[in-house]
Amino acid sequence: MKMQQVSEHCFAAINEKNLVCDANSGLINLAGGVVIDTQSDLSHARKMIELFSKVWPAMPKQVINTHEDADHVWGNQLFEGAEIIAHKSVPERMKKVAEPEESQELLHGVGSFIKNTVMKIVHPGLAAAGKQLSEDYNFDGINLVLPTTLFDTRYELDLDGTEVHLIYVGPCHQVGDTIIHVPKEGVLFAGDILFRNCTPMGWTGSYENFYKSLDLITQLNPEFIVPGHGAICGLEGVREQKAYLQYVRGESKKHFDNGISSLEAAKKIEFGPYAEWLAPARLFMNVERAYREFKNIPMDAPWDSPATFDAIFKLAKAKGVKPEF
């Protein structure tokens, strides 16, 4: 993890490995400080605090969670006494998707020879994902701390005369998706609306919502964008991700109309110019998401996580690339 100064008062903590759980955090260093997203486990959250403490005067008074996923909220407990702000859907969604017990059991299972052997047979993708996570993460000791200041469509902060706009754009990657715009500094914190140099994915929402969210970022015209995952970029990152999503949805429709499964379709779809992005086999999730839309399955229908990781694993093997999640 490294800290980068984005503008005069905006900073980012970037997880350079850029795989699952390697989320970025932000800091607006004004009026007592505002942290955006709190990392995936306590050690990463402490590292983020250590980096930001080089520039902030004290622990921040406010935290923003861009959405409900664990990798953006599992450091909340270290910001004792801070006001935690999020979209109104986030507390209940966190209880559904960010309870730590399942992830703790996964890493404990990977560490057990017998359990890991069984897992490799029954769910090889889940076992591979757990092994990848175990290299960098430890989910023990995490307590779920929920946001208490909630908003509907927009929320405004005034930080020593600098306006900060929280704009709800979900459901997109997740239900509670929020982007944070600091117009005076030309900075936008995108959360998981934007992935950079790694394959995007979403658990809820729709392609249309993704397009609208990316178009809104373009209209806001920030000079610097801090994505939820990956390197700081400009609007070129937005254009590239939208082009990827349009490409995958278009190819998926062709194969759906031919009656083949989402996994078989993903095997036939070329990575194309996006082959160099990390975790390219996340393509399966984007194809499956398109198939759900074509079948009129509700956008908030749950995913079978073990089966999803298994499909990503199978796709990587079929494509001859390293399984990455």
Side-chain angles (χ1 to χ4, degrees):
M1 188 188 300
K2 66 177 182 180
M3 182 177 71
Q4 286 185 247
Q5 185 165 3
V6 185
S7 65
E8 183 178 2
H9 298 106
C10 293
F11 297 80
I14 305 294
N15 271 303
E16 297 167 279
K17 198 168 182 179
N18 200 15
L19 293 171
V20 69
C21 280
D22 293 328
N24 297 330
S25 293
L27 168 67
I28 307 171
N29 199 26
L30 289 165
V34 179
V35 162
I36 300 164
D37 289 335
T38 60
Q39 295 293 310
S40 299
D41 69 3
L42 299 183
S43 65
H44 283 75
R46 292 187 180 105
K47 179 62 176 178
M48 175 262 288
I49 290 169
E50 176 189 335
L51 290 172
F52 285 158
S53 68
K54 297 175 182 179
V55 295
W56 68 28
M59 286 288 282
K61 297 180 179 179
Q62 294 173 305
V63 169
I64 299 169
N65 292 147
T66 60
H67 61 288
E68 62 265 32
D69 275 343
D71 54 335
H72 296 257
V73 305
W74 271 352
N76 282 3
Q77 72 194 71
L78 299 184
F79 294 86
E80 187 174 356
E83 177 188 21
I84 303 179
I85 307 166
H87 182 257
K88 65 182 183 180
S89 65
V90 168
E92 289 304 312
R93 285 288 299 170
M94 282 174 62
K95 294 175 187 177
K96 293 181 179 179
V97 304
E99 286 289 354
E101 287 81 3
E102 186 175 320
S103 295
Q104 291 166 350
E105 289 176 6
L106 173 61
L107 293 202
H108 294 163
V110 169
S112 163
F113 175 78
I114 294 175
K115 290 182 180 179
N116 190 44
T117 301
V118 172
M119 197 187 313
K120 284 181 177 179
I121 297 170
V122 178
H123 287 298
L126 186 64
K131 182 177 184 299
Q132 176 185 299
L133 284 168
S134 69
E135 295 173 0
D136 298 297
Y137 290 95
N138 182 338
F139 301 130
D140 291 345
I142 293 170
N143 299 314
L144 203 61
V145 175
L146 305 177
T148 53
T149 298
L150 308 177
F151 69 96
D152 188 1
T153 57
R154 292 180 70 99
Y155 193 81
E156 311 292 332
L157 297 175
D158 185 334
L159 305 181
D160 295 337
T162 295
E163 293 183 355
V164 177
H165 306 293
L166 284 66
I167 306 169
Y168 176 62
V169 295
C172 190
H173 167 82
Q174 270 289 15
V175 175
D177 290 317
T178 296
I179 59 175
I180 297 96
H181 187 213
V182 192
K184 187 176 179 180
E185 305 254 333
V187 174
L188 187 137
F189 297 90
D192 282 2
I193 300 302
L194 187 65
F195 290 65
R196 186 65 175 147
N197 300 326
C198 63
T199 305
M201 59 180 178
W203 296 99
T204 186
S206 66
Y207 272 87
E208 188 60 31
N209 282 358
F210 241 132
Y211 299 156
K212 288 179 179 178
S213 299
L214 294 170
D215 289 345
L216 174 59
I217 293 174
T218 299
Q219 292 167 18
L220 294 172
N221 195 31
E223 184 176 0
F224 304 106
I225 304 171
V226 180
H229 297 259
I232 295 167
C233 61
L235 289 174
E236 74 282 354
V238 175
R239 290 190 292 268
E240 288 177 15
Q241 181 167 306
K242 185 177 180 182
Y244 170 82
L245 293 171
Q246 290 173 324
Y247 165 69
V248 173
R249 191 182 190 281
E251 292 298 302
S252 297
K253 186 64 167 66
K254 297 175 187 177
H255 295 299
F256 177 81
D257 290 343
N258 287 332
I260 66 173
S261 72
S262 55
L263 180 55
E264 290 307 309
K267 290 177 182 178
K268 291 178 178 293
I269 296 172
E270 298 292 335
F271 291 142
Y274 314 103
E276 298 303 313
W277 286 1
L278 292 168
R282 289 177 187 167
L283 169 66
F284 166 76
M285 287 189 67
N286 295 310
V287 176
E288 172 62 20
R289 185 177 192 173
Y291 269 51
R292 289 175 170 220
E293 290 188 17
F294 304 149
K295 296 175 182 178
N296 294 314
I297 295 173
M299 65 177 68
D300 60 350
W303 291 70
D304 182 334
S305 296
T308 300
F309 285 119
D310 288 349
I312 293 171
F313 182 83
K314 291 175 183 176
L315 178 58
K317 291 293 188 180
K319 293 277 197 180
V321 299
K322 179 183 178 181
E324 293 177 325
F325 301 89

